[in-house]
Amino acid sequence: GASKMRHLLALRDAIYSERFRKLVGDVMGCDDLTEKVDCSANAYTHGCHLLCHDDVIGTRRISYIIYLTDPDCEWTAEDGGALELYPLEGDKNAQQGVPVPSPTNNLLPRFNSMALFRVQPGKSYHSVQEVYAKDKPRLSISGWFHGPTPPEGADGASLKQIMTMGDDARPFERFSNGSVDSETAGTTPSLSAEDMCELKKYVNPTYLTTEAMTQICEQFCSDSSIQLHGFIHDAIAAPLMNKMFAVDEIDKVGNGHCPPSYQVGLHPPSSWKVVGPPHKRRHLVYECTNDAGDGEIGDNCENVHGQLGQGLATLREKLFRSAAFARYCEKITTLRPTGYKDTIRRFRPGLDYTVAHYSGMTKVSRLDATLCFVDSREDGGNEEEEKEETKGKGRGEIKQQIGKAALWDSGDAGGFECYIAADDDEDAEAAAVYKSMGEESDDEGDQLLSVSPAANVLSLVMRNENIMRFVKYVSATAPSSRFDISAEFEFAVEEDDEEG
């Protein structure tokens, strides 16, 4: 009990004391700190992290962290767990500050050191880097000193930004190679010989038979979602996967590697760009600089990063953006796509994620089509036996026992796409809000759907109004990056459906 924690309790009492509070206020330039002080003990173990935020909740005024890591085992950059700090983009005096995508300074959790910073809405952005060390926890005492009122400009806090409504400004584009409208309203289009010829260039023929399309449609109409494994045939998928493996090997990410830097994958003359802001997202996107080739995998590019990007861009242009694919989607979902928005993304292990936020919430129902690529190659062994062997084991033991596919499926590697319902109560407790925003996702009660990443899988999801989605932070322990073509289709709604 208390006798075993006397030193911890003594430290807590010192932090709560008027003398220490005055010292902190003098050092930080805050002369109005109240007697309210928060204090908690924290242990970040292997794989733990905290995404970018500004700490603004209620009357918090100063944040503090006292590090109590093992004094006999010096903490190094290879151990991870650093406190990361983000400057602002553009106008640093703006009411709603936007942090740059990657931190520019960090502080290692060295024993008996203390970090302090002012809690400033839309400005005091920070995160806790993933802990890479397997054998030493990141121990700390942390909390906040409070002022009498919420800080000035609290409406610009990161939490408020996450909960602010907004719209994706990009317009929906029209499909190429013809109209997707049926000859008769309310009828399901037939796939012409030309459509089938175009689809067979890319799609696994298993999914193009009448029987398969009927079964897929029945399941989608029942569940509002479906995952089609091995969707792209091997002649196209295999070269893309090989380039993906090469890219991760060059960048030295995945399989427990500490990411070399936040510039991983941005090698010139690459067209991969990092996007933020990091309190909502961080990942790479491919921005095409040349027209997609005619079914080629991008071997004309100078480096493998560009070759992979061009290959994915070709697949997007020739398949996802075609009227034939739109008609195929209607055939297997009964939803008639009339336009699209899409992005080619890379989520790097130990670095990238998206957070569910209200500006990305659906106002009108959409069809999500996401083609995912990850490394799920097995090193031999029976997957079912591996899953059985994990029963009763701890998370760390599981990571050492199971194969790549099962690791992705377990959720421990992250990278899964999760769908959640928006909370109508804007005054919900902040902790619960951060949980729903994707900081924690182990509580299945918060989830409407979770789609594990897998190699060459097309996920189709009917996303109704007021639904948000996010891609869970990809851990450094993940077998690979997550690459995907993420498309959002608007679709026609029949008048009878609108009236109903």
Side-chain angles (χ1 to χ4, degrees):
S3 62
K4 296 182 180 179
M5 300 178 64
R6 62 184 185 277
H7 297 299
L8 186 61
L9 294 174
L11 175 59
R12 180 203 63 183
D13 292 342
I15 292 171
Y16 285 3
S17 69
E18 181 179 356
R19 180 181 179 185
F20 188 74
R21 187 168 67 251
K22 185 179 185 306
L23 173 63
V24 169
D26 290 343
V27 171
M28 303 302 292
C30 294
D31 57 5
D32 61 346
L33 297 181
T34 69
E35 295 181 356
K36 181 179 180 181
V37 183
D38 298 322
C39 181
S40 64
N42 301 279
Y44 282 62
T45 57
H46 179 57
C48 291
H49 64 278
L50 187 62
L51 300 184
C52 179
H53 61 293
D54 63 10
D55 260 10
V56 177
I57 295 176
T59 58
R60 292 176 180 176
R61 193 62 51 87
I62 296 173
S63 179
Y64 70 89
I65 311 100
I66 301 172
Y67 296 109
L68 300 175
T69 50
D70 188 347
D72 297 325
C73 190
E74 183 178 358
W75 204 275
T76 67
E78 289 71 27
D79 295 324
L83 174 65
E84 301 176 312
L85 306 176
Y86 297 74
L88 301 183
E89 288 185 342
D91 185 2
K92 296 176 175 56
N93 296 316
Q95 186 174 8
Q96 287 195 357
V98 177
V100 299
S102 304
T104 57
N105 203 353
N106 63 70
L107 179 67
L108 288 175
R110 301 191 188 280
F111 173 71
N112 200 23
S113 63
M114 182 177 187
L116 291 162
F117 60 86
R118 293 277 295 271
V119 177
Q120 298 177 289
K123 295 182 179 180
S124 54
Y125 289 104
H126 62 284
S127 58
V128 177
Q129 181 187 34
E130 180 177 353
V131 174
Y132 306 129
K134 297 180 180 180
D135 54 356
K136 51 183 180 181
R138 179 188 186 272
L139 301 177
S140 67
I141 301 294
S142 65
W144 298 270
F145 293 92
H146 289 255
T149 59
E152 183 179 353
D155 287 343
S158 60
L159 181 59
K160 288 290 186 180
Q161 293 186 45
I162 286 174
M163 297 184 69
T164 298
M165 304 291 286
D167 293 298
D168 185 344
R170 296 180 303 163
F172 281 93
E173 304 289 342
R174 300 302 105 184
F175 290 98
S176 61
N177 302 324
S179 170
V180 298
D181 293 334
S182 300
E183 295 181 1
T184 306
T187 64
T188 301
S190 58
L191 294 173
S192 66
E194 290 78 8
D195 288 337
M196 293 297 288
C197 183
E198 288 301 310
L199 292 171
K200 286 179 179 178
K201 292 179 181 179
Y202 306 98
V203 178
N204 186 332
T206 301
Y207 293 117
L208 296 177
T209 66
T210 300
E211 181 181 5
M213 288 188 284
T214 299
Q215 292 176 350
I216 293 169
C217 186
E218 289 175 353
Q219 183 176 337
F220 182 87
C221 291
S222 173
D223 300 339
S224 296
S225 68
I226 194 169
Q227 285 74 53
L228 305 179
H229 292 254
F231 183 73
I232 302 300
H233 65 66
D234 283 346
I236 297 294
L240 286 175
M241 295 290 288
N242 288 335
K243 287 180 171 58
M244 185 191 82
F245 304 147
V247 161
D248 277 351
E249 185 174 351
I250 291 170
D251 291 340
K252 296 181 173 60
V253 294
N255 292 310
H257 288 104
C258 171
S261 78
Y262 279 89
Q263 303 308 306
V264 164
L266 300 178
H267 314 287
S270 171
S271 293
W272 292 94
K273 309 297 180 184
V274 64
V275 296
H279 62 295
K280 294 183 178 180
R281 69 184 70 83
R282 181 173 58 232
H283 57 80
L284 303 189
V285 299
Y286 182 75
E287 298 178 353
C288 298
T289 55
N290 301 307
D291 292 334
D294 295 326
E296 299 299 326
I297 306 302
D299 290 331
N300 57 314
C301 188
E302 294 181 6
N303 61 65
V304 69
H305 292 76
Q307 292 170 16
L308 176 58
Q310 285 187 4
L312 292 170
T314 296
L315 192 57
R316 175 179 65 174
E317 182 67 30
K318 300 299 183 180
L319 180 63
F320 272 61
R321 294 180 173 182
S322 70
F325 186 68
R327 284 188 283 270
Y328 176 74
C329 286
E330 181 175 1
K331 194 80 173 176
I332 61 175
T333 68
T334 73
L335 304 174
R336 181 178 304 162
T338 57
Y340 64 84
K341 298 177 184 180
D342 54 36
T343 309
I344 296 172
R345 307 182 296 185
R346 178 189 181 188
F347 294 85
R348 301 162 297 174
L351 298 174
D352 295 338
Y353 55 87
T354 66
V355 173
H357 51 88
Y358 279 54
S359 58
M361 181 176 65
T362 44
K363 317 302 187 299
V364 179
S365 296
R366 301 292 185 223
L367 174 64
D368 292 332
T370 306
L371 180 62
C372 179
F373 292 96
V374 296
D375 185 359
S376 57
R377 295 172 296 177
E378 298 299 341
D379 299 323
N382 182 282
E383 183 173 329
E384 291 303 318
E385 291 179 359
E386 289 173 338
K387 289 183 178 180
E388 184 67 25
E389 290 175 1
T390 65
K391 292 182 178 179
K393 294 181 179 293
R395 291 166 69 94
E397 293 177 287
I398 288 176
K399 291 178 183 179
Q400 298 300 319
Q401 293 287 337
I402 64 178
K404 294 176 181 177
L407 179 56
W408 286 117
D409 195 51
S410 74
D412 286 346
F416 55 84
E417 188 154 39
C418 189
Y419 289 76
I420 62 174
D423 192 340
D424 293 331
D425 182 7
E426 292 192 10
D427 295 324
E429 288 292 328
V433 172
Y434 275 122
K435 184 174 183 179
S436 70
M437 293 301 103
E439 284 295 289
E440 299 291 341
S441 56
D442 291 332
D443 186 352
E444 295 183 359
D446 293 336
Q447 302 177 6
L448 300 176
L449 176 67
S450 181
V451 182
S452 297
N456 189 15
V457 173
L458 177 68
S459 172
L460 297 172
V461 179
M462 167 72 166
R463 183 157 48 113
N464 294 318
E465 297 89 343
N466 301 323
I467 302 299
M468 300 180 292
R469 60 175 175 164
F470 63 89
V471 174
K472 179 68 173 178
Y473 170 87
V474 180
S475 170
T477 62
S480 72
S481 296
R482 171 192 166 119
F483 291 88
D484 65 33
I485 301 173
S486 177
E488 179 181 336
F489 295 150
E490 64 176 355
F491 53 83
V493 179
E494 302 298 336
E495 292 184 5
D496 289 344
D497 293 336
E498 290 181 332
E499 293 174 359

